[in-house]
Amino acid sequence: MARVVRIKYAHSDPLFWRARLEVVEAGNIEAARLLANGAADIGFVPITLAAELDMPIVPRLAIYSVGPIISARLFRGRGSGDCAVGETTVSARVLSRLMGLSFRRVEDPWAALEECGAVLVVGDEALRMADRGIPHLVDVGELWRERVGTPLFFAVLVARPGAEGLEEAVREMENSVAYFYENPAPVVEAVAKRLGVSRRLVEEYFSRSRYLVAKEQTRDMEKEAEILGLPRLRLL
């Protein structure tokens, strides 16, 4: 059975909660390293790293948004300067390209709220901050939609050349997403409990998250890579 990399944030739950797969969990940057080093066969990586490492993209599943996403926000801090968590590559590049921002990298986003004037936070900690009512300056998905008008792809599915079990793995994840859409309550409740955030916030978050990729959306991926100044994507 193929080893599949799952990015460790809540956005991955619909893809994997009913999928019968051998899963390796990793952060954004580590996910790309695992695939590049051959420690996994298939998995999700930030679109930035997929382009930079020339990883073959399977354009059937991805993690993306159409408009505001909540889990990628520039929060207002009480200090000075712009900061970003170390795990973000896509969101930081979007704000750099569309707003001309540059960031000092920080490890602890909560501490950074005291040190920095603005803090770019992604993933589960962004959801926790949103749940606590931390004010934000920019939602990255909303900014992209307003300025560019297409979906914003955060992570794409890639496969090592010759990876066995690709079709089976994709089908398992597609079926998991289908189960989620049919009955999202178990996933919503599990994520809300795990993160310690409100069920309502998680419901809103998943209503804005997208996973299934239509054939014509490969053009949106390619447009995103061009705008972000990335190498040309390699699509399977």
Side-chain angles (χ1 to χ4, degrees):
M1 180 180 290
R3 301 188 78 200
V4 182
V5 175
R6 166 195 166 127
I7 295 177
K8 64 183 180 181
Y9 302 131
H11 60 36
S12 296
D13 280 37
L15 289 157
F16 289 96
W17 80 288
R18 291 289 296 271
R20 297 165 295 181
L21 296 167
E22 182 182 349
V23 176
V24 183
E25 195 169 72
N28 284 329
I29 296 171
E30 179 64 17
R33 188 177 298 117
L34 288 170
L35 285 151
N37 293 342
D41 308 292
I42 304 159
F44 291 88
V45 302
I47 191 172
T48 45
L49 299 180
E52 290 168 355
L53 298 173
D54 193 31
M55 292 179 164
I57 295 173
V58 183
R60 286 171 59 180
L61 291 167
I63 298 170
Y64 65 103
S65 71
V66 181
I69 190 56
I70 306 176
S71 65
R73 283 181 169 178
L74 186 68
F75 290 93
R76 181 181 292 117
R78 291 175 283 274
S80 60
D82 298 322
C83 299
V85 293
E87 274 288 285
T88 173
T89 61
V90 179
S91 296
R93 201 170 185 112
V94 168
L95 295 186
S96 175
R97 287 279 168 165
L98 299 187
M99 297 182 66
L101 301 181
S102 58
F103 297 98
R104 176 169 65 87
R105 296 290 175 162
V106 295
E107 292 299 319
D108 184 344
W110 294 92
L113 290 174
E114 299 295 333
E115 304 166 6
C116 310
V119 187
L120 175 58
V121 186
V122 300
D124 295 351
E125 290 308 313
L127 294 176
R128 291 187 176 105
M129 287 188 178
D131 189 65
R132 290 197 187 183
I134 306 297
H136 70 280
L137 303 168
V138 178
D139 181 293
V140 177
E142 184 175 29
L143 175 70
W144 185 267
R145 187 67 170 174
E146 290 175 351
R147 297 280 186 91
V148 180
T150 62
L152 176 57
F153 290 86
F154 292 95
V156 291
L157 181 64
V158 304
R160 291 195 305 107
E164 296 183 4
L166 173 61
E167 182 60 35
E168 292 80 2
V170 171
R171 190 160 52 244
E172 284 290 324
M173 290 184 283
E174 287 174 338
N175 288 341
S176 182
V177 171
Y179 282 124
F180 168 75
Y181 286 143
E182 185 177 323
N183 182 22
V187 177
V188 169
E189 290 168 4
V191 169
K193 183 177 181 180
R194 186 173 76 242
L195 300 187
V197 301
S198 72
R199 191 179 189 280
R200 182 175 179 180
L201 176 77
V202 178
E203 286 176 337
E204 182 181 0
Y205 174 53
F206 281 134
S207 75
R208 298 177 180 188
S209 302
R210 301 289 185 274
Y211 302 98
L212 303 176
V213 178
K215 187 175 181 180
E216 61 270 16
Q217 287 180 311
T218 58
R219 293 193 297 270
D220 297 331
M221 289 185 187
E222 291 169 338
K223 181 177 181 178
E224 179 175 335
E226 182 180 355
I227 291 172
L228 296 183
L230 297 170
R232 186 178 181 86
L233 301 176
R234 180 149 62 109
L235 303 174
L236 287 179

